[in-house]
Amino acid sequence: MFAAAKCDVGKLRKTNQDSVYCSMEPVGDLPNLFIVADGMGGHLAGEHASSEAVQFFVQEVAEKSFKEDSIVKLLREGVESANRYVYKLSKQSSAWTGMGTTFVAAVIMEDTLFCVNVGDSRLYLVQADGQGGVGLKKLTIDHSVVEELVQKGEITEEEARVHPQKNVITRAVGIEEQVSVDAFEIPLTGILRVLLCSDGLSNMVEDTELLRLLGTTVPSSQDEIEGLAEQLIDRANGNGGYDNISVILIDLWKEGAQHA
């Protein structure tokens, strides 16, 4: 398994409010840990929210064991604790009022992927389709105004990409004292790659283009997966780079191909 994390300010923003965490080494009892957080708020508040949420979450899960409880429960409770922490911080300074952050985290253990998310940062799966081809699946569901409209059938996915409210999220870490966290636990059968990203990538690079980039090259080294992650950043910037861009790319091609 190879993994690469890249975070770029983009072409228009002056500050970077995204935070990423990528560890192939154990974090407490967890064998690995991958996080993307996209902060929001006033000047520097978004950067503070995302970095504080990530740091607190990592410390929280590192100090607890999942041996008696499930990994999903550990991750969900970690996000809930980080939410309370960021919410309390937001009350300590007027400069931090209303700050918050999206949050998507993943752990890969043996033959299972565990994921939690809040907001519109995403986790994608590149997976074998059983017929010799490769497909792209968005595992997480955006907590956003446009996603709710899509789910109701009021707008299409294509219309959502250009909707004037596409950046309005309905759930975030730190905005309220409590937060609802989505959680997923899925087998790795047929999964070739895992992509975590902020909307600075997903808004700038369409799914068809993501699949073209991720579904045709088979990395055989850490350098190659690093290069592929950099290509994603370059493509987002090439398409406008309107926002900060964060990418964590995890390559499971060999492992996934054995089960395809």
Side-chain angles (χ1 to χ4, degrees):
M1 184 170 76
F2 301 115
K6 302 288 182 180
C7 192
D8 189 86
V9 70
K11 297 181 70 174
L12 300 184
R13 298 292 177 92
K14 294 182 178 180
T15 61
N16 193 342
Q17 297 189 337
D18 286 4
S19 294
V20 299
Y21 182 88
C22 178
S23 177
M24 293 283 287
E25 300 299 321
V27 177
D29 283 344
L30 299 175
N32 46 64
L33 182 60
F34 310 97
I35 308 169
V36 168
D38 179 359
M40 65 201 74
H43 182 60
L44 296 182
E47 179 182 354
H48 190 62
S50 64
S51 63
E52 289 288 342
V54 169
Q55 291 176 39
F56 186 90
F57 176 86
V58 172
Q59 181 177 350
E60 186 80 359
V61 299
E63 294 175 350
K64 294 186 177 180
S65 172
F66 64 84
K67 293 176 181 177
E68 296 180 1
D69 298 301
S70 71
I71 295 180
V72 163
K73 182 178 179 182
L74 174 71
L75 297 178
R76 178 184 276 122
E77 290 180 350
V79 177
E80 292 169 347
S81 294
N83 175 78
R84 292 189 293 269
Y85 175 71
V86 174
Y87 179 77
K88 289 179 181 178
L89 286 179
S90 72
K91 304 300 181 183
Q92 296 178 5
S93 169
S94 59
W96 297 344
T97 299
M99 73 177 182
T101 182
T102 68
F103 201 94
V104 58
V107 172
I108 294 172
M109 186 171 185
E110 297 178 351
D111 59 353
T112 305
L113 169 71
F114 303 89
C115 172
V116 287
N117 84 288
V118 176
D120 64 355
S121 291
R122 296 178 175 180
L123 186 146
Y124 288 93
L125 304 172
V126 179
Q127 55 190 12
D129 61 11
Q131 300 177 342
V134 178
L136 183 73
K137 176 183 179 180
K138 180 166 69 74
L139 179 66
T140 54
I141 300 173
D142 294 351
H143 303 134
S144 66
V145 169
V146 294
E147 183 66 26
E148 291 181 356
L149 295 175
V150 170
Q151 294 296 320
K152 292 177 182 177
E154 296 182 13
I155 62 173
T156 65
E157 291 279 1
E158 291 73 21
E159 291 171 331
R161 295 187 65 85
V162 296
H163 196 279
Q165 291 183 296
K166 69 177 183 178
N167 293 321
V168 179
I169 63 174
T170 56
R171 202 186 302 177
V173 168
I175 298 297
E176 298 179 350
E177 195 167 5
Q178 295 183 340
V179 68
S180 177
V181 183
D182 287 357
F184 306 87
E185 180 178 340
I186 63 168
L188 286 176
T189 303
I191 297 176
L192 309 175
R193 292 195 175 114
V194 178
L195 170 67
L196 290 78
C197 66
S198 63
D199 65 348
L201 180 75
S202 57
N203 282 342
M204 292 291 99
V205 184
E206 294 187 6
D207 288 2
T208 53
E209 195 169 10
L210 286 176
L211 180 58
R212 186 178 64 79
L213 290 169
L214 298 177
T216 57
T217 303
V218 184
S220 58
S221 70
Q222 179 66 31
D223 287 344
E224 286 174 311
I225 200 68
E226 293 272 356
L228 189 51
E230 193 65 49
Q231 285 184 49
L232 294 174
I233 298 288
D234 290 345
R235 189 55 52 91
N237 277 323
N239 289 344
Y242 299 148
D243 201 351
N244 307 146
I245 310 156
S246 290
V247 168
I248 296 179
L249 184 59
I250 307 163
D251 189 76
L252 302 167
W253 197 282
K254 292 180 180 178
E255 288 85 349
Q258 293 173 1
H259 302 285

